[in-house]
Amino acid sequence: IRATRVVRSLFVPLSLAVGFAMIASYVLSTSFVPILYIWFNRRLHGSEEERMGRSKFDHFRDRYRVFLSKLMRRRRLLVWAYLGAAILFVVLLGPRLGREIFPHVSGNQFDLHLRAPTGTRIESTEQIAVGTLKEIKRLAGPNNVTASIGYVGSYAPSYPVNLIYLWTSGPHDADLRVQFRPEAHLDVIGLEEKLRKTLPQMFPGTSFSFESGDLVSEVLNFGSPTPIEVAVNGPHLSADHAFAEKIRAEMSQVGALRDLQYAQPLSYPSLNVDIDRVRAGQLGLTVQQIAQSVETATWSSRFVHRNFWQDPQTGIGYQVQVEVPQPEMSNIGDVSDLSLVQGGPSTHPTLGDVANLSYGTVVGEYDRYDMQRMVSLTANIVGEDLGRAASQVEAAIRRAGTPPRGVEVHVRGQVVPMEQTLDSLGLGLVFAVVAIFLLLAANFQSMRLAFVTVSTTPAVLCGVIAALLLTGTTLNLQSFMGAIMALGVSVANSILLVTFAEEHRREGGSATEAALHGGSTRLRPILMTSLAMIAGMIPMAIALGEGGHQTAPLGRAVIGGLAASTLATLLVLPAVFSLAQEHVSIESASLDASDPNSRYAKGAR
């Protein structure tokens, strides 16, 4: 839900702004622009006789008409070549586009999660965190780190805070958030790669993972600390872990993945207490009494017996608890000498008298999905887009083999919302084309003319793909919006040409002459509209200003799609119009009885 709100908060305002801007431009172009044109034209050029001189654009238009007439002689070959080239372009080059939800932009901060050997005391973890921060400052340069926030260890259960956002499972975990100066212009991704090489050498046995540092990525990860998460869940944790090891071995061969590790500590050091119930019964002790004694000594009495003292003056209640000093519980022998009941150890039994103590390991954190325990693998992506990395991860899962019975494998993180978002946008693009086609069919009262008008859509797709490939841009939410904008402007240019060509054909000209007339007369407005849109998108496409890389795919998609569609509108569209309207009567399909060209009106008379 939060991810949907983030996408909606970015997509809806931009869509509304574009819609209102188009409405305002339409009102201005139909009301004030003609008046201003007449007024300025009279001021600048004087009388009509003085305006009869031919300009350089008139000569360019004449050459365009001659060239277009040559193309019209091979119009069938031109149209088939256009369709074939467009299909091959989309099929062959389209899959090469990278995919992600939003453009990946290297910001001025990052989050670093470090995990010392499981069970490390919090004092040692703090020293590792401090040393890590010093190394970050050294590689970033003097005075380039402006702020840093660190969380070491995990809070006690009594602390009133939601621990889900800390990602620390014990005293061996730490989170560091580091902010850099914007004017330093640091290559954060390069800095992370350097830290991946130096930190494991400085702190052997400690694993490091760079996690999402911006709010949008954190929300779109859907609870995962990294963009890629592979969750293995089933009824038996041992079977989940065994199959997760196979997946980890295959995922380690994917070169784009970094910081591959388990999200849960699976081998936390433990002290196993095996109670001899017969011996305990002979000494008059119950398992509950033994467990309470051990818990009080190793943790606190507050979890066994609640005891409050109320201040008689203020009336405030204070919790009274008993804790054994940690230095007195440093090894297995200290725990074995623990007295089980009140009194000194000389008169009462100890824990070693009724239990066998040994060292072992346990799972340090249990995560569940649908009430089933799961083991999850997390990884970052470097040097690859999310779509290709997700495909490689899915291939690695397939290579791991068939999961055991009852075990399920799910890829999470940003993969699922990316696929849903791009599929929805692709479906929206198709619906946009269909809606435009139906509106044009109603406007022209002809399915043929509507088809001719939207025939430049393949050129828009080819132009968008070419622009994104040449600039190394991924297919994301911004580039999809740019494709939709380019499609709208392209259809507007096509409507200009088709409208004038159809009017000329209805006046008695042939379809070929009408196509030449429409192209030559609408050459100037089509070029002006396209060039103005392209020029307006250039600053956005080259990502000027801070945060410009977020919206750069939109500008690049508009420029590529509009450039290709303009060529198709001026060169291919006249040929499509000529072929479609070559043997069509000038009679209208209108049901309006007042339409003199309507065949139905003639039949009615």
Side-chain angles (χ1 to χ4, degrees):
I1 295 175
R2 294 181 63 187
T4 304
R5 290 176 179 174
V6 171
V7 174
R8 186 181 300 171
S9 64
L10 296 174
F11 182 77
V12 174
L14 185 57
S15 301
L16 292 176
V18 172
F20 283 121
M22 294 181 67
I23 293 174
S25 64
Y26 174 77
V27 173
L28 290 175
S29 62
T30 56
S31 57
F32 296 104
V33 173
I35 299 175
L36 293 176
Y37 171 77
I38 296 173
W39 187 77
F40 278 108
N41 199 37
R42 289 178 177 176
R43 293 268 183 171
L44 294 175
H45 299 285
S47 62
E48 183 177 356
E49 290 78 6
E50 297 175 354
R51 299 194 298 268
M52 292 301 293
R54 294 178 59 82
S55 63
K56 294 182 179 179
F57 185 83
D58 294 329
H59 294 286
F60 172 75
R61 181 166 49 195
D62 293 340
R63 297 192 191 97
Y64 163 73
R65 186 182 179 91
V66 173
F67 179 73
L68 184 60
S69 62
K70 294 179 180 179
L71 290 178
M72 296 294 286
R73 299 172 187 172
R74 298 176 177 84
R75 51 189 177 178
R76 295 185 183 276
L77 178 62
L78 175 63
V79 172
W80 284 112
Y82 164 71
L83 293 177
I87 294 174
L88 289 176
F89 198 91
V90 173
V91 171
L92 297 180
L93 299 182
R96 298 180 60 182
L97 284 176
R99 296 174 297 147
E100 54 189 352
I101 304 178
F102 288 101
H104 179 72
V105 178
S106 178
N108 295 319
Q109 68 178 17
F110 65 72
D111 281 2
L112 175 60
H113 179 85
L114 63 91
R115 175 172 293 169
T118 307
T120 302
R121 294 181 61 87
I122 191 170
E123 296 87 351
S124 302
T125 307
E126 182 182 7
Q127 294 177 1
I128 296 176
V130 173
T132 300
L133 185 58
K134 291 181 180 179
E135 179 66 11
I136 293 173
K137 292 181 178 179
R138 185 186 70 84
L139 293 178
N143 302 323
N144 283 335
V145 176
T146 59
S148 60
I149 302 176
Y151 298 96
V152 181
S154 60
Y155 290 103
S158 58
Y159 196 82
V161 67
N162 193 346
L163 303 180
I164 192 172
Y165 297 110
L166 296 183
W167 308 110
T168 52
S169 59
H172 50 272
D173 279 1
D175 278 331
L176 298 177
R177 170 163 291 190
V178 182
Q179 177 75 34
F180 303 102
R181 294 186 181 276
E183 57 271 16
H185 301 291
L186 288 176
D187 181 11
V188 177
I189 297 178
L191 178 62
E192 292 176 356
E193 285 293 295
K194 293 180 181 178
L195 291 172
R196 287 189 176 100
K197 297 178 180 179
T198 60
L199 291 179
Q201 298 176 358
M202 296 176 60
F203 308 103
T206 303
S207 60
F208 300 88
S209 176
F210 293 91
E211 300 174 353
S212 303
D214 59 290
L215 179 61
V216 175
S217 298
E218 290 178 352
V219 172
L220 293 178
N221 283 349
F222 278 83
S224 172
T226 56
I228 295 291
E229 180 183 12
V230 179
V232 182
N233 63 286
H236 303 289
L237 189 63
S238 58
D240 301 342
H241 187 200
F243 190 71
E245 275 294 322
K246 296 181 180 180
I247 297 177
R248 182 180 182 180
E250 296 295 337
M251 290 179 61
S252 61
Q253 301 177 8
V254 180
L257 298 184
R258 300 287 189 278
D259 312 328
L260 178 62
Q261 58 182 291
Y262 286 105
Q264 304 85 13
L266 301 176
S267 58
Y268 200 94
S270 64
L271 179 62
N272 301 328
V273 180
D274 185 12
I275 300 175
D276 187 346
R277 294 175 181 266
V278 176
R279 179 62 176 163
Q282 292 175 351
L283 296 175
L285 297 173
T286 63
V287 175
Q288 182 180 5
Q289 290 175 330
I290 298 173
Q292 289 179 351
S293 299
V294 173
E295 191 170 10
T296 301
T298 57
W299 192 239
S300 172
S301 64
R302 70 180 297 270
F303 297 102
V304 179
H305 297 289
R306 293 294 183 94
N307 187 13
F308 292 90
W309 173 79
Q310 186 178 17
D311 190 342
Q313 296 182 357
T314 61
I316 300 175
Y318 295 92
Q319 190 177 49
V320 180
Q321 54 185 334
V322 178
E323 295 182 1
V324 177
Q326 291 187 8
E328 296 185 9
M329 290 291 170
S330 59
N331 54 56
I332 195 172
D334 296 336
V335 181
S336 178
D337 296 336
L338 175 66
S339 178
L340 296 180
V341 294
Q342 294 180 354
S346 60
T347 58
H348 296 284
T350 62
L351 182 62
D353 295 333
V354 297
N356 296 321
L357 280 67
S358 61
Y359 291 112
T361 58
V362 295
V363 178
E365 176 184 341
Y366 287 107
D367 292 340
R368 288 179 172 86
Y369 186 79
D370 287 341
M371 300 305 296
Q372 288 186 342
R373 293 175 179 177
M374 70 176 186
V375 177
S376 56
L377 293 164
T378 59
N380 286 309
I381 304 172
V382 175
E384 194 65 275
D385 60 272
L386 180 61
R388 291 193 180 94
S391 301
Q392 295 173 6
V393 169
E394 292 174 355
I397 295 174
R398 290 192 297 268
R399 291 196 303 268
T402 304
R405 183 177 181 180
V407 176
E408 297 179 354
V409 181
H410 302 280
V411 180
R412 296 178 184 152
Q414 290 190 21
V415 177
V416 176
M418 177 199 67
E419 294 176 349
Q420 293 177 350
T421 301
L422 295 185
D423 290 344
S424 300
L425 288 173
L427 190 61
L429 183 61
V430 173
F431 283 161
V433 175
V434 173
I436 291 173
F437 177 81
L438 296 177
L439 289 174
L440 292 175
N443 177 69
F444 289 121
Q445 298 181 1
S446 171
M447 301 289 285
R448 289 174 177 267
L449 292 179
F451 173 77
V452 171
T453 306
V454 300
S455 63
T456 56
T457 301
V460 176
L461 299 179
C462 293
V464 171
I465 293 174
L468 296 181
L469 287 176
L470 291 176
T471 57
T473 308
T474 59
L475 186 65
N476 49 60
L477 180 63
Q478 297 286 350
S479 55
F480 250 112
M481 293 179 61
I484 295 175
M485 293 175 61
L487 177 64
V489 178
S490 173
V491 171
N493 289 336
S494 300
I495 292 174
L496 285 176
L497 193 149
V498 171
T499 301
F500 274 76
E502 180 64 12
E503 289 180 355
H504 187 77
R505 190 187 70 86
R506 289 184 177 277
E507 293 176 356
S510 64
T512 302
E513 293 177 354
L516 293 173
H517 175 77
S520 59
T521 55
R522 295 294 92 191
L523 177 62
R524 186 193 297 269
I526 290 174
L527 289 178
M528 290 179 62
T529 302
S530 301
L531 293 177
M533 189 71 174
I534 292 174
M537 288 293 170
I538 288 177
M540 181 182 294
I542 60 180
L544 292 178
E546 185 176 357
H549 293 281
Q550 286 282 358
T551 57
L554 189 148
R556 295 166 185 172
V558 170
I559 291 176
L562 200 53
S565 67
T566 301
L567 292 176
T569 301
L570 295 177
L571 301 179
V572 181
L573 184 61
V576 177
F577 176 87
S578 176
L579 291 175
Q581 298 294 98
E582 184 176 11
H583 302 292
V584 177
S585 173
I586 61 173
E587 292 182 344
S588 173
S590 174
L591 299 178
D592 187 2
S594 62
D595 187 355
N597 294 324
S598 174
R599 66 173 70 97
Y600 301 102
K602 291 181 179 180
R605 290 195 297 269

